[in-house]
């Protein structure tokens, strides 16, 4: 449980480290100059640091709260939307922008994309469009932050709190979490803004901000800072808050936003470490796109500043220069951020195929899943990403994909066993044993993953889905165990004694096995598509298989009464084989009843 807590709170640990670094940075600035004027001598370092860090903590916690609530409310719909609409690069970009804007996490969007590529639902070229669009979706953060409604922050918190803790409906609770998170964002910004106010007249700090006018310096500082805290939202919040105090100019703010776009690539790079090649390629595309985008605009910062000044709202007449700057710059920076990402997407989207080819060229396919020398199956999961545990709907879908891997391995075992019986091929046993080790490993990993998910905030429907996956995984493992522990031992005994079936008996066993395998395929298809009609159809075949089993038993007994030598010699193995196949079909029935909610 301790390990789970650490894993789920990794982001918060990073924020704590960031706060520590911020404290050191704030104190070093405040104590940097030896010659301090009388006004600077009265600078309350502790109060300012408390406001900055406390406000930042509220801001980031609000972002987490709002993001978690959005994921819980819209996770399943967003996944379905991605799968349906991302048919080409253009709809992919629109879908990626919309999904990311809703769930407020480009990393979750990227992980979903990787899953679709791995499952061959979409190509890397199509996925590139979604990745480009995700960058547009992230600009919603800057737009939200730029709204100056801090005076309503406590009202949003109060309403959200009431919805979250009074309502018994999951949907209302999720909406309450969104409102409460949004209120905390604005309240934290207000606290940060008040904390930064003394810095407006503090020369060491204003001198540092003047250096930000150099775009290269601003981009490097922002990229380093964003990479360190692994949160472009934190950088965006600080930049806009500083702008609201008139501490930075518009060109400097744009440079810092550009740097945040590069710095966030570090998060994608770290997230892809140890992941499949598809994840690494997606990360590479993200990095290449963001860096090229900044390179494209770095010489056009002043032009972009003039454009957003032209299209953004202006402040009231009569304000001083500093107050006018503080009033107008936050919205201008947010608009510049949006224009920057939209234009980059439009410019690079026609070349998405080239981005995919570059990623595939420099990140070639890894070694095969099997080690050819030893023929040992590599035990590893493909879809159980711990980063998705806080998005229950998506995590459940990923777990289902892993369950389908188990179903595929079991299907291969079941398909191989009957030809091996007919040919007395005991060598097949080694392949089946390896497949069984994979199913055993995946079962443990799936159970562990879903148990962690059960500790999260999930709905009743999601809890039911989790239980269904656990039941289906158990039944699949039971089928695997029947094949591994019973049928393989029976096969080795038959092959070792060179026992043969009679021609009629062999034909009956092959037919019965075929019908059981056919029923298994129908059951897995019903599970995959969550199709109740298919499930009931598979269940209806139960009586047919029972009648077939009885008919084949009577036929075997008739051959025994007729003293057919091959039937007499193979009788025990023949009947045991029928028994084990019947047991496998009983697990098929159990899976169907789980799908229908009758388990």
């Amino acid at each position: 449980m301790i390990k789970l807590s650490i894993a789920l709170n990794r982001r918060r640990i990073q924020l704590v480290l960031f706060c520590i670094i911020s404290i050191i940075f704030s104190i070093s600035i405040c104590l940097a100059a030896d010659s301090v004027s009388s006004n600077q001598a009265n600078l309350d370092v502790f109060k300012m640091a408390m406001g900055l860090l406390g406000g930042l903590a509220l801001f980031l916690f609000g972002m987490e709260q709002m993001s978690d609530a959005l994921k819980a409310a819209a996770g399943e719909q967003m996944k379905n939307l991605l799968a349906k609409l991302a048919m080409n690069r253009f709809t992919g970009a629109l879908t990626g922008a919309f999904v990311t804007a809703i769930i407020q996490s480009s990393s979750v969007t990227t992980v979903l994309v990787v899953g679709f590529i791995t499952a061959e639902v979409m190509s890397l070229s199509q996925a590139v469009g979604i990745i480009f669009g995700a960058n547009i979706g992230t600009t919603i953060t800057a737009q939200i932050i730029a709204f100056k409604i801090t005076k309503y922050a406590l009202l949003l918190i109060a309403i959200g709190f009431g919805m979250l803790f009074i309502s018994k409906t999951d949907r209302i609770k999720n909406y309450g979490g969104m409102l409460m998170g949004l209120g905390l964002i604005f309240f934290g910004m207000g606290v940060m803004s008040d904390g930064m106010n003394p810095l407006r007249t503090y020369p060491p700090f204003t001198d540092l901000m003047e250096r930000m006018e150099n775009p290269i310096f601003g981009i490097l500082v922002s990229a380093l800072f964003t990479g360190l805290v692994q949160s472009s939202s934190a950088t965006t919040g600080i930049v806009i808050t500083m702008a609201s105090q008139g501490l930075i100019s518009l060109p400097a703010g744009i440079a810092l936003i550009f740097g945040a776009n590069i710095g966030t690539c570090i998060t994608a790079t770290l997230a892809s470490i140890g992941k499949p090649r598809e994840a690494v390629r997606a990360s590479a595309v993200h990095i290449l796109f963001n860096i090229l985008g900044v390179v494209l605009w770095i010489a056009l910062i002043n032009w972009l500043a003039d454009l957003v000044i032209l299209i953004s709202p202006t402040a009231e007449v009569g304000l001083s220069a500093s107050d006018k700057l503080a009033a107008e710059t936050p919205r201008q920076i947010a608009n510049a951020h949006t224009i920057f990402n939209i234009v980059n997407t439009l410019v690079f989207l026609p070349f998405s195929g080239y981005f995919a080819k570059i990623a595939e060229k420099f990140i070639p396919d890894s070694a095969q899943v099997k080690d050819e020398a030893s023929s040992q199956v590599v035990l590893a999961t493909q879809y159980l990403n711990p980063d998705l545990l806080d998005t229950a709907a998506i995590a459940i879908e990923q777990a289902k994909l892993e369950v389908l891997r188990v179903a595929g391995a079991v299907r291969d075992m079941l398909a191989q066993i009957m030809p091996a019986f007919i040919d007395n091929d005991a060598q097949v046993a080694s392949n089946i044993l390896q497949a069984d080790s994979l199913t055993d490993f995946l079962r443990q990993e799936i159970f562990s993953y879903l148990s962690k998910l059960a500790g999260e905030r999930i709905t009743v429907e999601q809890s039911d889905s989790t239980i269904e996956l656990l039941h289906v995984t158990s039944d699949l493992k039971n089928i695997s165990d029947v094949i591994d522990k019973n049928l393989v031992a029976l096969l080795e005994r038959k092959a070792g004694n060179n026992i043969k079936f009679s021609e009629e008996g062999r034909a009956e066993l092959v037919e019965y096995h075929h019908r059981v395998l056919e029923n298994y395929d129908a059951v897995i298809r019903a599970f995959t598509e969550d199709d109740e009609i298919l499930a009931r159809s598979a269940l209806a075949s139960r009586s047919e298989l029972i009648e077939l089993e009885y008919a084949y038993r009577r036929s075997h007994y008739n051959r025994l009464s007729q003293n057919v030598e091959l039937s007499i010699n193979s009788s025990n193995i023949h009947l045991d084989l029928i028994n084990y196949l019947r047991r496998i079909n009983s697990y098929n029935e159990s899976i169907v009843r789980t799908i229908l909610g009758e388990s």
Side-chain angles (χ1 to χ4, degrees):
M1 192 65 185
I2 294 175
K3 291 181 179 179
L4 172 61
S5 177
I6 292 175
L8 294 179
N9 289 282
R10 181 175 56 189
R11 179 73 176 272
R12 292 175 177 83
I13 291 172
Q14 292 169 349
L15 298 181
V16 170
L17 292 175
F18 161 68
C19 289
I20 294 173
I21 294 168
S22 298
I23 292 172
I24 297 173
F25 180 68
S26 299
I27 293 175
S28 65
I29 289 178
C30 295
L31 301 178
D34 293 330
S35 57
V36 181
S37 66
S38 58
N39 288 335
Q40 296 154 12
N42 295 326
L43 192 67
D44 191 336
V45 176
F46 177 76
K47 183 178 179 181
M48 186 181 67
M50 182 172 62
L52 285 172
L53 299 178
L56 183 59
L58 288 170
F59 171 83
L60 292 174
F61 180 75
M63 287 294 297
E64 289 282 313
Q65 176 78 18
M66 186 177 70
S67 177
D68 290 345
L70 283 167
K71 291 173 189 175
E76 189 169 353
Q77 290 83 348
M78 293 305 100
K79 179 186 182 300
N80 295 335
L81 186 65
L82 266 179
K84 292 178 181 178
L85 298 186
M87 302 309 294
N88 60 61
R89 68 187 74 174
F90 300 103
T91 58
L94 291 173
T95 306
F98 181 69
V99 169
T100 306
I102 294 296
I103 62 178
Q104 281 293 288
S105 176
S106 58
S107 61
V108 170
T109 305
T110 303
V111 169
L112 282 174
V113 165
V114 171
F116 288 137
I117 296 172
T118 304
E120 299 182 353
V121 174
M122 67 174 65
S123 66
L124 179 60
S125 180
Q126 289 174 320
V128 169
I130 296 178
I131 294 171
F132 289 1
N135 268 28
I136 297 177
T138 58
T139 64
I140 195 67
T141 301
Q143 293 292 347
I144 290 173
I145 294 170
F147 282 106
K148 293 187 174 182
I149 57 173
T150 53
K151 58 183 178 182
Y152 300 113
L154 291 176
L155 178 61
L156 291 174
I157 293 172
I159 295 174
F161 179 87
M163 295 170 65
L164 187 61
F165 289 95
I166 296 175
S167 176
K168 296 182 179 179
T169 305
D170 288 331
R171 177 175 295 183
I172 300 300
K173 287 183 177 180
N174 290 331
Y175 291 150
M178 294 180 209
L179 281 178
M180 186 175 177
L182 192 61
L184 287 170
I185 289 172
F186 291 122
F187 187 65
M189 284 187 61
V191 174
M192 276 195 294
S193 181
D194 292 341
M196 285 184 175
N197 188 57
L199 294 176
R200 299 177 73 172
T201 57
Y202 187 61
F205 188 83
T206 55
D207 291 344
L208 178 63
M209 291 303 100
E210 286 179 6
R211 294 184 63 187
M212 295 296 176
E213 297 293 334
N214 182 332
I216 301 298
F217 180 76
I219 290 171
L220 290 176
V221 169
S222 180
L224 181 63
F225 182 80
T226 304
L228 183 65
V229 301
Q230 294 189 36
S231 174
S232 59
S233 296
T235 306
T236 302
I238 291 174
V239 169
I240 292 181
T241 303
M242 290 168 61
S244 69
Q245 282 294 327
L247 296 173
I248 57 173
S249 65
L250 177 58
I254 292 175
L256 291 171
I257 291 295
F258 285 3
N261 258 41
I262 293 178
T264 196
C265 294
I266 298 176
T267 304
T269 303
L270 294 175
S272 68
I273 294 176
K275 297 294 191 303
R277 288 293 188 195
E278 292 83 1
V280 180
R281 287 170 180 164
S283 173
V285 168
H286 185 226
I287 293 170
L288 184 61
F289 173 63
N290 281 15
I291 292 178
L292 287 179
V294 171
V295 171
L296 178 68
W297 283 91
I298 194 168
L300 303 174
I301 287 180
N302 290 329
W303 178 86
L304 179 59
D306 293 338
L307 175 63
V308 295
I309 289 173
L310 183 65
I311 65 174
S312 300
T314 57
E316 298 176 6
V317 179
L319 293 177
S320 65
S322 60
D323 289 338
K324 181 178 174 63
L325 181 68
E328 296 178 346
T329 307
R331 171 58 52 196
Q332 293 167 355
I333 290 176
N335 290 341
H337 189 212
T338 301
I339 292 172
F340 164 72
N341 281 289
I342 290 176
V343 172
N344 281 349
T345 299
L346 294 176
V347 169
F348 291 118
L349 195 57
F351 306 99
S352 59
Y354 293 101
F355 278 82
K357 290 178 181 178
I358 291 172
E360 290 170 347
K361 180 177 181 180
F362 287 96
I363 307 172
D365 290 327
S366 59
Q368 295 181 353
V369 177
K370 292 187 177 180
D371 184 342
E372 297 296 339
S374 61
S375 296
Q376 294 295 314
V377 175
V378 177
L379 303 181
T381 62
Q382 290 185 7
Y383 304 102
L384 303 183
N385 191 325
D387 296 334
L388 293 176
L389 283 170
D390 60 348
T391 313
I394 297 173
I396 289 171
E397 286 299 317
Q398 296 299 105
K400 184 174 181 178
L401 291 175
E402 207 70 63
V403 174
L404 289 174
R405 282 190 68 204
V406 178
V410 171
R411 205 266 182 202
D412 290 341
M413 296 167 66
L414 185 57
Q416 291 179 57
I417 195 67
M418 184 53 70
F421 266 99
I422 300 305
D423 299 332
N424 279 344
D425 184 6
Q427 296 298 320
V428 172
S430 61
N431 296 336
I432 290 176
L433 290 174
Q434 288 184 38
D436 181 69
S437 67
L438 176 62
T439 61
D440 189 53
F441 169 79
L442 292 179
R443 175 185 178 275
Q444 293 178 23
E445 293 298 313
I446 290 167
F447 271 50
S448 175
Y449 188 78
L450 292 177
S451 67
K452 294 174 184 177
L453 181 62
E456 294 294 297
R457 184 179 64 185
I458 61 176
T459 65
V460 174
E461 291 78 10
Q462 290 166 347
S463 178
D464 290 341
S465 297
T466 300
I467 293 171
E468 177 183 322
L469 292 179
L470 293 172
H471 276 303
V472 172
T473 305
S474 292
D475 285 330
L476 289 172
K477 182 53 187 166
N478 287 335
I479 295 174
S480 175
D481 286 342
V482 171
I483 299 171
D484 169 49
K485 294 180 172 59
N486 302 120
L487 288 177
V488 167
L490 200 62
L491 169 63
E492 291 175 337
R493 191 172 77 182
K494 179 177 183 293
N497 294 303
N498 196 29
I499 297 173
K500 298 182 183 299
F501 297 125
S502 67
E503 184 175 346
E504 186 179 355
R506 181 174 65 247
E508 292 171 353
L509 289 171
V510 168
E511 174 62 19
Y512 186 57
H513 169 265
H514 172 72
R515 293 292 298 277
V516 171
L517 181 60
E518 190 178 56
N519 193 47
Y520 175 87
D521 289 339
V523 168
I524 299 304
R525 188 165 64 253
F527 169 68
T528 303
E529 300 174 12
D530 197 20
D531 191 320
E532 185 175 326
I533 296 176
L534 284 176
R536 293 197 180 280
S537 175
L539 187 62
S541 66
R542 173 178 177 271
S543 58
E544 297 176 11
L545 283 167
I546 291 175
E547 291 178 6
L548 191 63
E549 177 202 346
Y550 287 157
Y552 287 162
R553 283 182 185 277
R554 287 194 299 270
S555 178
H556 178 70
Y557 292 143
N558 287 337
R559 287 191 295 274
L560 292 181
S561 65
Q562 295 169 8
N563 292 318
V564 177
E565 184 177 357
L566 289 177
S567 294
I568 294 172
N569 293 337
S570 64
S571 182
N572 290 336
I573 291 176
H574 185 109
L575 293 174
D576 284 346
L577 181 51
I578 288 179
N579 285 336
Y580 293 137
L581 289 174
R582 180 185 62 183
R583 189 187 301 178
I584 288 172
N585 200 58
S586 71
Y587 290 125
N588 288 347
E589 180 185 347
S590 178
I591 294 174
V592 169
R593 294 195 180 280
T594 298
I595 297 170
L596 296 174
E598 300 175 4
S599 178

